[in-house]
């Protein structure tokens, strides 16, 4: 169980963000609380940015466990620097750069070990070509769009999406984790899918059958 592991590791069992933590949505408040070592403020950062960061890492680190480790270590380093950030943009930039460097180190290690000789050069080439393609959306680029829109979901929908789509948990397990009933989980998933479909259709970035295939795991538990 990766998504809740880091906040619990750092903060204890009472640190997971709640619907009442809207105060942290105010950037000056969030940054001030991070400087005060407020662990709930950091849990808000973790909850808010985990999806996008994990999906970014997973594009380059294909092994699920290794991608989880890279993402977790990135957030640990973010926590260690919590008092140094002067803006939320700086937090996001730090997460992205740190994760990118960790992916680079991971692929270098694979290349040295001979496990995937071409992984390193392929990664660099894909980085240089990022956002430059004009041949329509691939599954990876679609996943990027899905993750971007998922970060904009309301907090409870975002948590259900993470626990289902990324962690692959069943509806009942999600219900137990979030202390809600099974039907509420189903309702949250339906609302999340409705939001994502509408957001992505409006941007004309995918074919409906491809999104359906990509989200099949999210809906199918």
């Amino acid at each position: 169980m990766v998504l809740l592991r880091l906040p619990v590791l750092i903060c204890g069992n009472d640190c997971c963000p709640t619907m009442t933590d809207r105060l942290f949505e105010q950037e000056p408040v969030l940054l001030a609380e991070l400087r005060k070592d407020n662990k709930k403020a950091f849990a808000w950062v973790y909850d808010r940015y985990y999806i996008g960061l994990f999906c970014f890492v997973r594009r380059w680190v294909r092994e699920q466990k290794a991608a989880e480790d890279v993402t977790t270590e990135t957030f640990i380093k973010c926590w260690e620097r919590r008092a140094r950030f002067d803006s939320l943009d700086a937090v996001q930039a730090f997460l992205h750069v740190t994760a990118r460097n960790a992916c680079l180190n991971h692929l270098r290690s694979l290349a040295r070990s001979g496990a995937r000789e071409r992984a390193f050069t392929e990664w660099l080439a894909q980085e240089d070509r990022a956002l430059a393609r004009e041949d329509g959306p691939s599954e990876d680029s679609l996943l990027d769009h899905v993750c971007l829109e998922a970060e904009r979901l309301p907090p409870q929908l975002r948590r259900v999406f993470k626990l289902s789509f990324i962690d692959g948990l069943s509806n009942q397990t999600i219900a137990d984790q979030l202390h809600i009933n099974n039907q509420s989980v189903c309702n949250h998933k339906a609302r999340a899918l409705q939001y994502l479909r509408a957001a992505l259709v409006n941007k004309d970035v995918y074919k409906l059958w491809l999104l359906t295939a990509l989200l099949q795991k999210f809906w199918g538990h």
Side-chain angles (χ1 to χ4, degrees):
M1 175 54 192
V2 174
L3 287 166
L4 298 180
R5 182 187 304 155
L6 183 61
V8 171
L9 176 65
I10 291 176
C11 316
N13 291 323
D14 298 326
C15 71
C16 295
T18 67
M19 294 293 285
T20 61
D21 289 333
R22 293 179 181 176
L23 201 61
F24 298 140
E25 295 177 4
Q26 303 175 37
E27 183 173 352
V29 173
L30 175 67
L31 296 173
E33 293 302 314
L34 286 174
R35 295 188 192 103
K36 295 176 184 177
D37 300 336
N38 186 323
K39 295 173 181 178
K40 285 193 174 182
F42 181 74
W44 185 94
V45 172
Y46 180 87
D47 181 70
R48 179 67 177 80
Y49 295 114
Y50 185 94
I51 291 177
L53 193 67
F54 176 81
C55 290
F56 168 76
V57 170
R58 190 64 190 274
R59 285 194 65 180
W60 316 116
V61 180
R62 296 296 183 176
E63 302 83 359
Q64 174 84 11
K65 180 61 168 59
E68 291 170 356
D69 290 344
V70 167
T71 307
T72 297
E73 288 299 323
T74 298
F75 276 103
I76 289 174
K77 290 178 180 178
C78 182
W79 168 251
E80 292 170 348
R81 290 177 54 94
R82 60 195 176 278
R84 304 182 189 180
F85 297 116
D86 57 7
S87 70
L88 200 51
D89 285 343
V91 175
Q92 293 177 264
F94 175 83
L95 290 171
H96 180 84
V97 171
T98 302
R100 183 185 186 278
N101 290 340
C103 291
L104 184 63
N105 291 336
H106 175 78
L107 292 174
R108 278 175 173 153
S109 176
L110 288 178
R112 283 196 299 268
S113 68
R116 282 167 58 186
E117 294 81 356
R118 297 192 304 172
F120 178 53
T121 53
E122 178 185 347
W123 188 85
L124 290 177
Q126 288 180 339
E127 275 286 277
D128 291 339
R129 297 197 301 267
L131 302 180
R133 298 175 182 174
E134 298 181 356
D135 56 348
S138 65
E139 183 171 328
D140 277 344
S141 66
L142 175 59
L143 183 59
D144 288 342
H145 285 291
V146 170
C147 290
L148 178 63
E149 295 300 332
E151 285 191 339
R152 297 170 179 166
L153 291 168
Q156 191 75 334
L157 300 189
R158 189 168 65 240
R159 290 174 199 130
V160 169
F161 180 89
K162 289 193 298 187
L163 292 170
S164 181
F165 183 64
I166 294 178
D167 261 16
L169 300 183
S170 68
N171 286 355
Q172 188 57 57
T173 303
I174 295 171
D176 294 341
Q177 290 276 350
L178 300 180
H179 306 293
I180 58 180
N181 60 46
N182 195 293
Q183 185 57 51
S184 294
V185 174
C186 293
N187 292 342
H188 288 323
K189 289 171 74 171
R191 288 178 59 201
L193 284 172
Q194 183 179 25
Y195 175 93
L196 292 171
R197 285 194 184 104
L200 295 174
V201 167
N202 289 340
K203 292 185 176 182
D204 193 28
V205 297
Y206 83 107
K207 295 180 180 179
L208 184 57
W209 66 267
L210 184 55
L211 178 65
T212 301
L214 189 63
L215 296 180
Q216 184 175 8
K217 180 173 69 171
F218 173 61
W219 183 251
H221 296 294

